[in-house]
Amino acid sequence: MSDQLFRSLNSINIAELIRSAQRSVCFAAPGILREPANAMAEVAARIGPELVTVCLDFDEKVMRMGFGEMETVVALHNADIEVRTVHGMRTGLVIVDGEGYIFTPTALYLEAEDRPTDAPNAMRLSREQAKVALARLSPVAKAIAVAHADTEEERERIREQAVEVPSELVADQEVKEVKRRLTESPPVQFDIARQVRVYSSYLQYVELELQGAALQRRRLTIPPSVLNLGDSKELRGRLRTTFEVIEKDSHISWSSERLENILNWIRNDLTRKLPNGAGRIVLKSGKPKLDKRLEEFEKELDQHRELVRGELRETMEKALEQIVKYYLPIILESHPHDLLHQGIRAISTAEEARDWLDGKLKPVFDKAFVRLKSDVEQMQLIVRYKDVTYETLKQADFLNAVKKAFPRVEWERAYKEYRAAGEKM
């Protein structure tokens, strides 16, 4: 074992230390990876499984973080090695034949395990520190430390040490249950998750949708009995089988179009459109500015909503009056078929014509008013942020499109991180 105080330890180094064992092995960490577990199984077959101590945080979420693998725990069980669980364990400890290290385990979900040799994550323990660690870790580790003590005085000193880490045996049923959950919902591939996280730290997809504000596009259906009475050059642009309720030059229409123009400006200024309908992206660094501008937009949307609330009924009454005014002289000259069916031969006064038109049109406008009023209350800006996915990164020319969209970002550095994150341990 190296006499360096600080060193870089990964699962391969730890496996080498374990294989050198002649008397005992103690391993404690959140989880255990394949190489150390295989080494323990080999050592257990050589010196006996009772001399191999393993303490883990046996928990589904620990494996999803990449501290360990379900298969390794099964392998330890198959080698008759007793595995104890310590809730919340995050420190790493490996002691072989009374010498060892305390180390920081690697969560593979966050980073690969290919540590540079000059980037230490472990500190060597003195022999005395190793004995104290064994004595205070678990009853089994303490018993092993007592058995390998050099003198009776040392054995007594170890016996006096109190076990500080509460642990319990990992039951077979618990192993089966965690294995079942991980089988039903497997952990992500850690190299893929790391690659995605590289670009997720730079950018996000964003969708901006203004819902319910374009009331000028709402139309209502004109009853055929009215529509067939005649045509109007003045109303021809609005009057087909349906009728545009809001005039294009009204305050409501102008305010709505202004909002849409502002939102389009925000999209074009603060986000970038990817080709082939891939959506829009925003830099994480630019997101606070976008959020602030959208907050200001929400205030303008509130003002538009108040304007519509104040003018909607008047606007619809004006639209109804336009239709009635146009059809009044026509209806006095024609005789709608449904009037004849009611035994009325002719409408002789404007009042009678207005009453007939009101009877046909007002229910349609009242219904439309209720619907539009509801639309006004549901008027909202919908903002959806979505992170990039691995499928996104695999799309042809995605990375080139990102570079083109934001040319001032140091994408070469991000690409190097992306490549490194994809390297398997």
Side-chain angles (χ1 to χ4, degrees):
M1 185 175 290
S2 171
D3 61 355
Q4 288 179 276
L5 181 61
F6 295 99
R7 65 172 294 186
S8 177
L9 277 186
N10 58 28
S11 57
I12 294 176
N13 304 141
I14 293 172
E16 291 173 353
L17 289 176
I18 292 171
R19 286 192 175 93
S20 69
Q22 298 299 317
R23 296 186 302 165
S24 65
V25 172
C26 175
F27 180 88
I32 185 167
L33 296 176
R34 194 163 303 170
E35 288 83 358
N38 290 341
M40 285 184 197
E42 294 172 17
V43 170
R46 177 160 48 84
I47 68 175
E50 68 279 2
L51 296 176
V52 179
T53 304
V54 180
C55 292
L56 309 173
D57 181 7
F58 185 69
D59 191 286
E60 173 186 349
K61 68 176 181 292
V62 171
M63 298 179 197
R64 295 189 186 280
M65 293 171 66
F67 282 119
E69 301 171 82
M70 186 69 234
E71 293 76 8
T72 59
V73 177
V74 173
L76 293 175
H77 267 230
N78 292 339
D80 295 325
I81 297 172
E82 185 179 277
V83 178
R84 303 188 69 82
T85 181
V86 179
H87 178 69
M89 169 74 78
R90 291 298 179 270
T91 301
L93 175 70
V94 56
I95 299 175
V96 176
D97 294 342
E99 297 184 359
Y101 293 89
I102 186 169
F103 66 95
T104 301
T106 300
L108 297 180
Y109 182 82
L110 298 177
E111 61 179 338
E113 218 197 7
D114 54 342
R115 302 187 58 80
T117 56
D118 59 350
N121 69 325
M123 186 176 73
R124 182 170 54 84
L125 301 174
S126 67
R127 291 187 67 85
E128 185 61 31
Q129 288 172 326
K131 291 173 183 177
V132 172
L134 287 171
R136 299 194 179 193
L137 178 65
S138 74
V140 175
K142 183 176 181 177
I144 293 174
V146 169
H148 292 302
D150 296 327
T151 66
E152 183 59 36
E153 181 183 359
E154 186 179 53
R155 276 192 286 274
E156 188 60 31
R157 189 166 60 250
I158 294 173
R159 289 192 186 100
E160 291 176 355
Q161 301 287 336
V163 175
E164 296 179 351
V165 182
S167 64
E168 58 187 31
L169 189 65
V170 176
D172 291 342
Q173 183 58 38
E174 188 177 3
V175 173
K176 292 178 182 178
E177 180 60 23
V178 173
K179 184 177 181 181
R180 181 188 64 79
R181 291 198 295 268
L182 291 172
T183 301
E184 291 176 353
S185 178
V188 298
Q189 292 181 256
F190 299 123
D191 55 329
I192 291 176
R194 293 192 299 266
Q195 285 182 301
V196 170
R197 194 166 53 256
V198 169
Y199 279 94
S200 292
S201 66
Y202 282 88
L203 49 84
Q204 276 185 306
Y205 282 100
V206 59
E207 296 176 7
L208 306 177
E209 179 185 352
L210 183 56
Q211 190 175 80
L215 298 182
Q216 75 276 13
R217 299 193 183 100
R218 302 291 196 274
R219 304 179 72 91
L220 56 78
T221 302
I222 301 296
S225 57
V226 175
L227 188 67
N228 295 333
L229 292 176
D231 193 9
S232 165
K233 182 178 180 181
E234 178 187 358
L235 298 180
R236 193 171 295 142
R238 299 168 65 192
L239 191 57
R240 299 286 189 273
T241 56
T242 58
F243 180 75
E244 293 177 355
V245 181
I246 311 297
E247 287 186 278
K248 286 186 171 58
D249 58 352
S250 67
H251 289 162
I252 293 176
S253 180
W254 177 83
S255 178
S256 176
E257 290 177 0
R258 175 178 172 274
L259 277 178
E260 291 179 341
N261 289 337
I262 292 173
L263 188 58
N264 282 332
W265 180 87
I266 293 173
R267 286 193 188 98
N268 295 330
D269 186 58
L270 300 179
T271 73
R272 293 293 179 269
K273 185 178 180 181
L274 295 178
N276 303 320
R280 285 187 169 274
I281 54 175
V282 59
L283 286 177
K284 285 283 187 73
S285 59
K287 190 177 173 182
K289 184 178 180 181
L290 174 61
D291 288 339
K292 182 178 179 181
R293 188 62 190 89
L294 292 175
E295 184 178 341
E296 295 170 354
F297 181 84
E298 290 276 11
K299 296 177 182 177
E300 296 179 83
L301 179 58
D302 288 340
Q303 294 174 0
H304 173 71
R305 190 182 291 110
E306 288 302 313
L307 170 69
V308 176
R309 284 172 180 156
E311 297 192 6
L312 182 60
R313 181 173 290 279
E314 180 182 346
T315 299
M316 294 194 69
E317 288 176 351
K318 180 181 177 182
L320 175 59
E321 182 60 27
Q322 285 179 308
I323 297 178
V324 170
K325 184 178 179 181
Y326 169 71
Y327 279 115
L328 274 176
I330 297 175
I331 202 172
L332 289 170
E333 296 177 4
S334 63
H335 303 284
H337 291 295
D338 64 335
L339 287 181
L340 297 177
H341 292 324
Q342 296 173 37
I344 302 175
R345 292 188 177 181
I347 291 177
S348 59
T349 67
E351 185 177 354
E352 291 174 337
R354 180 176 288 275
D355 287 343
W356 183 83
L357 284 170
D358 281 345
K360 293 294 182 181
L361 295 174
K362 201 167 186 307
V364 177
F365 272 79
D366 287 345
K367 185 177 180 181
F369 175 76
V370 171
R371 186 172 66 250
L372 290 175
K373 189 176 179 182
S374 175
D375 289 344
V376 171
E377 299 310 315
Q378 296 178 34
M379 199 179 289
Q380 62 180 321
L381 172 66
I382 299 176
V383 182
R384 301 185 188 91
Y385 287 111
K386 297 179 182 178
D387 288 327
V388 297
T389 63
Y390 187 64
E391 287 69 26
T392 299
L393 297 178
K394 290 193 299 182
Q395 290 176 3
D397 296 329
F398 171 79
L399 300 182
N400 288 333
V402 167
K403 289 180 183 179
K404 187 175 181 181
F406 299 102
R408 296 184 180 181
V409 176
E410 194 177 349
W411 292 114
E412 288 304 318
R413 176 181 175 184
Y415 185 67
K416 289 178 181 178
E417 292 178 6
Y418 167 77
R419 292 294 300 272
E423 294 177 2
K424 295 182 180 292
M425 47 170 255

